[in-house]
Amino acid sequence: MIGFDTDLDDLRASSKELGKAADIVSATHTGVGGQDVPAPDPVTGGLLPGMFAPDTAFGKSLGMRGVSAAYEEHRQAVEKMLAQLYRSTQDASQALARVAELYESVDEDNKQRLNRAAYGEQG
């Protein structure tokens, strides 16, 4: 490119790679969302804890409410951070693609000006 130390193909490749990374983060975000630990129903779980307790990584009857609550709090925090990472990665991908478009446009304008200047001097 005239006047730029940037290769448009590199910008476009980086944009595509960030787009792929955003897709991976999105899939991970979805997966983390599916690992929630539902809290036992306070009414039925208190009366018959084994029968009405939800199936979780902590079992139905282990009585680890504090552990499951801590896990769920952490899982929700991770899910929130993954959502932020997805948005920022996708935004960066789109920004790089836009920069490549702008550089290409400016480069084309500069080439046309040089051609017109050369033609004008020769003509």
Side-chain angles (χ1 to χ4, degrees):
M1 289 184 55
I2 300 172
F4 295 106
D5 291 331
T6 303
D7 182 353
L8 290 178
D9 291 335
D10 285 348
L11 277 174
R12 288 188 184 101
S14 294
S15 173
K16 287 178 185 175
E17 288 302 316
L18 282 172
K20 290 177 189 176
D23 292 342
I24 292 168
V25 171
S26 178
T28 303
H29 176 260
T30 301
V32 167
Q35 299 301 315
D36 62 324
V37 177
D41 183 279
V43 176
T44 57
L47 298 173
L48 302 166
M51 183 180 290
F52 292 104
D55 284 322
T56 70
F58 301 100
K60 284 187 164 196
S61 62
L62 291 178
M64 296 171 53
R65 286 195 174 119
V67 173
S68 69
Y71 167 85
E72 182 58 19
E73 183 179 327
H74 179 73
R75 188 205 60 77
Q76 288 175 1
V78 169
E79 185 177 25
K80 181 179 176 182
M81 286 185 266
L82 285 169
Q84 291 171 343
L85 178 61
Y86 170 72
R87 283 189 301 274
S88 66
T89 305
Q90 194 173 42
D91 289 348
S93 173
Q94 292 169 354
L96 285 176
R98 181 66 181 133
V99 167
E101 291 170 7
L102 291 172
Y103 277 10
E104 188 172 44
S105 173
V106 168
D107 190 44
E108 186 60 35
D109 287 346
N110 287 339
K111 286 178 185 175
Q112 288 178 6
R113 284 186 189 135
L114 285 174
N115 287 339
R116 284 193 301 266
Y119 179 75
E121 289 178 8
Q122 293 174 359

